[in-house]
Amino acid sequence: MLVRDLVYNDYLNLDCTYRIYDCTNLDNPILVYDVIQNGNRKPLDKILDLYISGITVADDNTLLILAERNN
């Protein structure tokens, strides 16, 4: 599933705080989008085209979306 299928979908209302991490390099996950820092704007296409590898919830109830490039 692509990140765009979850966060930028006309048929699904994702109404929560979330962060997207690029976990392509598991030793160095990179925060690529934070709805608090970036506002509730559309993420860049290169972020939306990442594949979701996991979803979890942080202690502050923020949804953490772990994603990676398809190599």
Side-chain angles (χ1 to χ4, degrees):
M1 170 188 261
L2 294 175
V3 170
R4 82 172 56 250
D5 296 332
L6 180 64
V7 302
Y8 198 68
N9 184 329
D10 291 337
Y11 303 103
L12 175 68
N13 180 18
L14 184 65
D15 189 17
C16 65
T17 303
Y18 62 90
R19 292 184 201 115
I20 302 169
Y21 287 88
D22 183 342
C23 297
T24 301
N25 179 354
L26 292 175
D27 295 330
N28 187 26
I30 301 166
L31 177 63
V32 292
Y33 186 85
D34 183 336
V35 77
I36 298 294
Q37 291 177 359
N38 301 110
N40 198 16
R41 293 180 293 215
K42 179 184 176 188
L44 298 173
D45 284 336
K46 68 181 184 178
I47 296 171
L48 294 174
D49 290 337
L50 293 171
Y51 287 87
I52 296 174
S53 58
I55 298 174
T56 191
V57 178
D59 291 337
D60 63 355
N61 292 324
T62 299
L63 192 70
L64 302 179
I65 302 166
L66 311 176
E68 58 190 38
R69 288 186 296 279
N70 189 15
N71 294 330

